Amino acid sequence: MSPARAEAHDLSVELTTGLTPHDLADLCEATNAAIIEGGGFGWVQSQDRAALARHFRGVLLVPDRSLFIARLDGTVVGSAQLLRPPRNNEAQAFAAQLTHAYIAPYARGYGLARQLVARVEEFAAAAGIRVLNLDVRETQESAIALFEALGYTRWGTHPAYARVDGRTVAGHFYHKLLEPGRGRTTDSLIGGR
């Protein structure tokens, strides 16, 4: 996609703690479009708007989850969630899960997916997270290409990860080390070289 095409549009990603009825409707529409296109989110069949609305309202209530929304010209067209370990899991407090990251098919090609992941990474690093983990179905080739281009390292594959359209598909597991703003490197903090 040409930089001029992206510059002609207003692109933004934000951490949200509340959704207006209009933003919630846009988010539900974008989510269903991504589900129908095969873009993940766990669901493989489109969901009714009430179920999706309940889901997102619930996400906003969970203390260890952060919801990020992506906008194209002011319209919500995608989201991602950062899931931190519960407070009683001190041993893994340095790591978090990037999950449910997607951009609706009609809003792709503007660089929003990269911007969305970068914003989650920045927020996580500022919160003291040093490792981001994620998993993705093998059928999500665009997502795999994006995460690998952004420096995520595949560390494993589960051969029976999910069932989609009556068949079992593999899933890939990734991690990325996040560098703190100053001080020691992440590698030194987790026992690397």
Side-chain angles (χ1 to χ4, degrees), residues 63-77:
D64 297 326
R65 271 190 196 264
S66 298
L67 178 64
F68 296 81
I69 56 173
R71 295 179 187 271
L72 174 62
D73 296 330
T75 300
V76 177
V77 295

Side-chain angles (χ1 to χ4, degrees), residues 24-35:
L24 184 57
D26 288 346
L27 184 55
C28 291
E29 173 67 26
T31 302
N32 258 336
I35 292 167

Side-chain angles (χ1 to χ4, degrees), residues 81-85 89 91-101 117 120-121 124 129-136 147 151-156 161 172-178 190:
Q81 296 175 35
L82 179 69
L83 176 59
R84 293 172 303 283
N89 188 350
Q92 293 179 332
F94 69 96
Q97 182 84 12
L98 170 60
T99 186
H100 301 307
V117 173
V120 173
E121 289 175 358
I129 301 298
R130 295 297 169 247
V131 178
L132 269 185
N133 297 302
L134 64 88
D135 51 272
V136 61
F147 291 127
Y152 285 81
T153 302
R154 185 185 305 179
W155 61 266
Y161 173 79
H172 303 304
F173 293 83
Y174 290 86
H175 78 279
K176 182 176 182 178
L177 302 180
L178 303 177
I190 62 172

Side-chain angles (χ1 to χ4, degrees), residues 136-138 156-163 167-173:
V136 61
R137 291 193 307 255
E138 70 177 345
T157 298
H158 188 307
Y161 173 79
R163 296 279 299 163
R167 71 181 185 97
T168 302
V169 297
H172 303 304
F173 293 83

